[in-house]
Amino acid sequence: MGSTPEVLAQRSCGKLIGTRLLQYLNGGPLSFKTHQAIVLIVTFFAYASYHATRKTTSIVKSVLDPQSAATGLTFFPFRPTNFTESNGSKRLSSNLGDGWAPFNGSDGTSLLGELDVAFLAVYAFGMYFSGHFGDRCNLRIFLTVGMLGTGLFTSLFGVGYWGNIHNFYYYLVVQMIAGLFQSTGWPSVVAVVGNWFGKSKRGLIMGIWNAHTSIGNIAGSLIASAMLSYGWGWSFVVPGLITAFIGLAVFLILPVTPESVGAREEDEFSGPIKSGEEAAEPLLRQETPVEEKEAVGFIEAWKIPGVAPFALCLFFAKLVAYTFLYWLPFYVSHTAIDGKYLSSETSGTLSTLFDVGGVLGGILAGHISDHLEARAITAASFMYCAIPALFFYRSYGHVSLIVNGALMFVTGMFVNGPYALITTAVSADLGTHKSLKGNSRALATVTAIIDGTGSIGAAVGPLLTGYISAKSWSAVFTMLMAAALIAGLLLTRLVVSEVATKIEESRSNRAQDCSLNV
């Protein structure tokens, strides 16, 4: 029944107007590597826009809830520092304004935490279904609908500013629906990238590609901070419109699979795995692609070796990462740095250093895991290193802006490194595990299971922070350090397996060298 690549290309080009335009400008068919570049660029900006819309809430929190700097900052067991300043609270309140009802009351911090958990709970719940549907429908259409919906409901949150809406349930419902639409994003982009890139150097490629998370956070922080002076509603509307615009670009140009555009791999480092190629990891290996099969079921995907440990690890890793995502600008603006409090705009800008560190951390984790051929060892090591990084940031971040920024950068590197590795290269590896016998239609489901489980942790972290921070930020950081420790410990079995494999390989190589010398 086989259709030729030319026929497939013609069919695809009839749908992808953007591809037809690029072929016209190119004067002929696009190469395999060109399609790969298009996939990386389009999915990069697509998911960066998702994170830009998520980051907005953390920037606007200090405007919605300009509580006293003394709240939640009165107990510091890690350092003997006195933050009492006669006019500190008044100056902070003056900088932040009177807030926005219902978030400017005594329970404002808790209400903001409830918004976060509502968004992330629906996001996590929707993720499982998104992966199921993603492996069974056109990912390009699926992603486009998700981005348009995300843009719309992110903007509707900002409309509350001009509509003078002070009903908490309006913002709650809007956030929940936005979370549902956002759940379509991650399974879709990882599945598309996994379709175009094989195992070789996947960690490094996806580590660089995964910078979209941090770039999106940075862009969201800068845009939201810049828009605050015009009214906090713009901080939501502008990122929402950008996301919707990129969603249209996805619809016009994104090729989901090489087969959909009649593209053929050109060398061993591009495209699907070739016959006989295997990953070195004992639990993360791939088989040769075979004919199209039915999508893998939800329960069957959970049984793939390595999925459960990495999913549970990501639960705690994202708990830490998303607590910073949603609360770092708020924490900075309510913490005296060198005896002074920063404005909401300055705090939002400073918080981008956490995401800059995350970019480096994601790239390093991917490169190291490729070099060592050990995903679990790399992820666990980064999580353990995040513990002292969190301690030092909490203990000495108040010294000066330079010290705060430097420690924030290092913390972001160790916190986001394993988070990036697990949600990209590990998910793609497990989505093409040898137990699937070449069935590639599990990528979205496996990705959704891992990131969906992680997103539950992402909901729990900000929720707990909303309540715990009202009493002590030190307790919040203790919670984060404990979560990082548990995340590393959950990978112990996989780490032991990888270490045993390395030892066996070393012995085998030595024995082979000895036999050659003889």
Side-chain angles (χ1 to χ4, degrees):
M1 299 295 295
S3 298
T4 65
E6 290 76 17
V7 172
L8 288 172
Q10 290 174 1
R11 291 177 181 175
S12 175
C13 292
K15 298 178 181 179
L16 300 180
I17 299 175
T19 301
R20 295 179 62 185
L21 176 60
L22 290 176
Q23 287 187 340
Y24 174 78
L25 296 175
N26 187 56
L30 302 179
S31 67
F32 189 87
K33 289 186 176 180
T34 299
H35 282 295
Q36 285 184 312
I38 291 173
V39 167
L40 287 179
I41 293 172
V42 173
T43 54
F44 182 96
F45 282 104
Y47 210 72
S49 69
Y50 273 113
H51 265 264
T53 61
R54 291 181 206 174
K55 186 65 175 179
T56 294
T57 306
S58 69
I59 301 300
V60 179
K61 274 179 179 174
S62 294
V63 175
L64 301 177
D65 177 27
Q67 63 169 300
S68 168
T71 303
L73 300 173
T74 55
F75 179 61
F76 293 85
F78 295 147
R79 51 184 171 81
T81 303
N82 186 359
F83 278 105
T84 58
E85 187 173 307
S86 59
N87 63 342
S89 298
K90 292 182 179 179
R91 180 174 66 253
L92 181 66
S93 179
S94 174
N95 286 339
L96 297 178
D98 297 327
W100 187 269
F103 306 108
N104 59 350
S106 59
D107 61 344
T109 302
S110 298
L111 290 178
L112 290 170
E114 289 174 13
L115 284 185
D116 293 341
V117 74
F119 172 89
L120 291 168
V122 174
Y123 174 81
F125 180 77
M127 183 76 72
Y128 293 118
F129 290 95
S130 294
H132 179 81
F133 290 127
D135 279 326
R136 291 163 173 79
C137 66
N138 189 316
L139 286 172
R140 179 173 59 89
I141 304 299
F142 191 59
L143 181 58
T144 299
V145 172
M147 296 189 71
L148 293 177
T150 297
L152 172 62
F153 282 91
T154 299
S155 299
L156 286 177
F157 193 103
V159 169
Y161 172 77
W162 295 285
N164 200 30
I165 299 174
H166 298 282
N167 188 320
F168 171 72
Y169 292 101
Y170 169 81
Y171 298 102
L172 181 67
V173 171
V174 167
Q175 280 289 79
M176 291 174 68
I177 298 177
L180 184 62
F181 277 109
Q182 286 226 15
S183 68
T184 63
W186 192 240
S188 299
V189 296
V190 173
V192 172
V193 173
N195 287 335
W196 282 92
F197 292 88
K199 179 65 186 70
S200 181
K201 296 186 178 180
R202 176 182 278 165
L204 177 60
I205 292 172
M206 284 193 155
I208 297 173
W209 173 75
N210 192 66
H212 55 52
T213 298
S214 297
I215 295 298
N217 291 340
I218 293 171
S221 297
L222 296 177
I223 293 172
S225 298
M227 293 295 105
L228 282 178
S229 59
Y230 301 99
W232 63 261
W234 287 110
S235 296
F236 288 92
V237 171
V238 172
L241 292 176
I242 292 174
T243 301
F245 176 79
I246 297 177
L248 293 176
V250 167
F251 177 77
L252 294 175
I253 200 172
L254 181 65
V256 174
T257 64
E259 293 77 17
S260 68
V261 290
R264 293 181 177 179
E265 58 182 323
E266 298 169 345
D267 55 60
E268 61 178 343
F269 297 111
S270 63
I273 298 298
K274 293 187 175 182
S275 178
E277 182 180 349
E278 293 183 335
E281 294 84 17
L283 293 177
L284 308 181
R285 299 174 60 189
Q286 291 176 292
E287 291 290 330
T288 307
V290 294
E291 68 277 1
E292 191 72 11
K293 298 182 179 180
E294 292 185 3
V296 173
F298 183 79
I299 302 300
E300 183 181 353
W302 264 108
K303 295 179 180 179
I304 297 173
V307 168
F310 274 112
L312 294 174
C313 172
L314 190 63
F315 174 96
F316 292 97
K318 288 192 75 169
L319 185 154
V320 179
Y322 269 67
T323 297
F324 273 87
L325 174 69
Y326 281 101
W327 287 99
L328 181 57
F330 184 90
Y331 170 75
V332 172
S333 67
H334 290 75
T335 301
I337 300 176
D338 195 18
K340 301 177 182 178
Y341 293 99
L342 304 179
S343 67
S344 297
E345 294 85 350
T346 304
S347 299
T349 302
L350 179 63
S351 69
T352 60
L353 288 175
F354 179 84
D355 297 299
V356 174
V359 173
L360 178 61
I363 295 173
L364 283 177
H367 176 68
I368 292 172
S369 69
D370 279 342
H371 180 72
L372 296 179
E373 297 182 335
R375 308 287 198 215
I377 292 175
T378 304
S381 298
F382 269 71
M383 291 310 308
Y384 291 139
C385 289
I387 298 173
L390 288 163
F391 174 83
F392 285 119
Y393 178 67
R394 172 58 180 162
S395 301
Y396 303 104
H398 71 286
V399 174
S400 68
L401 277 175
I402 294 177
V403 173
N404 187 289
L407 292 175
M408 187 188 298
F409 177 90
V410 173
T411 303
M413 182 175 68
F414 287 120
V415 168
N416 283 342
Y419 164 32
L421 179 65
I422 294 172
T423 55
T424 55
V426 169
S427 295
D429 288 348
L430 293 173
T432 50
H433 190 266
K434 64 177 182 178
S435 63
L436 297 173
K437 299 179 180 180
N439 187 357
S440 63
R441 297 190 65 191
L443 273 170
T445 301
V446 169
T447 299
I449 287 174
I450 293 177
D451 200 50
T453 304
S455 296
I456 298 175
V460 171
L463 175 65
L464 293 178
T465 299
Y467 291 101
I468 298 174
S469 63
K471 297 181 179 180
S472 170
W473 275 103
S474 294
V476 172
F477 276 81
T478 300
M479 173 189 73
L480 298 180
M481 288 186 283
L485 175 62
I486 296 172
L489 292 176
L490 283 168
L491 296 180
T492 299
R493 185 176 66 85
L494 301 183
V495 169
V496 171
S497 177
E498 290 182 347
V499 170
T501 299
K502 293 299 175 186
I503 294 175
E504 183 63 29
E505 288 177 352
S506 178
R507 290 175 178 173
S508 177
N509 290 335
R510 285 200 301 268
Q512 185 176 8
D513 290 339
C514 290
S515 63
L516 291 175
N517 291 332
V518 173

